[in-house]
Amino acid sequence: RNMASRLNLLNTMCRLPQCSAASRAMSSGRAAWDGPQKSKEYPLHVKTIACLTKEQVLKVLALAKDMKAAPLKYADVLKQKTLLMLFEKPSLRTRVSFETGMTQLGGHAIHYNIADSPLGKKESIQDTARVLSRYVDAVTARVFTRKAVEELSANATIPVVNALDDFAHPCQMLADLLTISEFRGGSTDFTGMKMAFVGDCQNNMTYDLMRMACLMGFHINVAGPDSKDFEVEWGVVKECENLQQKSPGGTFSIGQDRDAACKGVDIVYCDSWMSYGIAPAERAERLKALMPYQVTGKTMELTAPGSIFMNCLPAMRGEEQTAEVIDGPKSVVWDQAENRLHAQKALLTLLIRGFDTPLV
């Protein structure tokens, strides 16, 4: 009786409301947690640049340009929205650009280091994706292999963005297109443009640059050592051939001659030869194989008038390019780095708010 009296007294004092059947249904229902469906495409996952259509890429570029020109106009566009950034690989540009971007858009970004707590170890990636979908509005993942990005996107009900894996780097592609457009008078018609990528062709940057060329309608020459350790994956070649059928105009070639690849092109692109994940013991052998593909001042003399040099950074002077190139008048690498911020702000806004939703 004494216990019953205490319970009655406590109930009277607190007067806790009882949950209705409808409330209980909402608390366990997916719609109550995941938010409204923005469109039939939501959530759109960006695993490679080819996950976006040409029209969506152009929307990202248009919004990025406006955000860069008038940032305060979009100061609240992602208010109360949260981005979770998963990092298995460290990065200066990726973390700072995403975190700064979410702040400038009125949202919040959380950095989570998974190097010491790998995805798929303590719980399945499938379960992690489902949990995160109930907490945040989007996820970026910078990881060593494509498997993690594939599994996250297969199970998340919010947008997942590949912030770099061994297969693609779509955020860099958008920043690069924005940079190229700025140096082509603001045009987003890339038809007829020619690019060369030289160096290690078994590389996430090579793959997404090839996809981007086929998607956006320009030509890319890829040149690197004739070795199974540096060649383009056959699956990427087939993927690009399929893209050519869907979006005619883009073309690619693969060879081993640096100078032939760079002759007459509008853009010369290279990437680090010692990316994260490559053992230091391989350094000497890699340098020996790749040095014939170093971009020098003489290499740039082979290019078209008004050509530019690009590197997604970090860069090593004296390796993939000489100092006179990266610090020279044709280099746009610092513009590329800045444009990560603007391109990613636009991408996140469109993924979270919807590509067809009025923003301001």
Side-chain angles (χ1 to χ4, degrees), residues 2 92 115 133 150 153 156 185 198 209 219 222-223 227 265 267 272 278 283 293 298 303 327 329 348:
N2 190 34
L92 171 70
S133 297
E150 287 286 352
S153 58
V198 294
L209 286 169
H219 178 77
V222 173
S227 164
V265 301
I267 302 160
S272 171
I278 296 175
R283 178 177 176 82
Y293 297 91
K298 288 190 177 298
T303 62
D327 298 319
L348 288 174

Side-chain angles (χ1 to χ4, degrees), residues 199-213:
D200 180 3
C201 299
Q202 199 171 101
N203 175 290
N204 50 12
M205 285 298 301
T206 317
Y207 300 165
D208 245 10
L209 286 169
M210 289 174 63
R211 295 182 186 106
M212 184 169 75

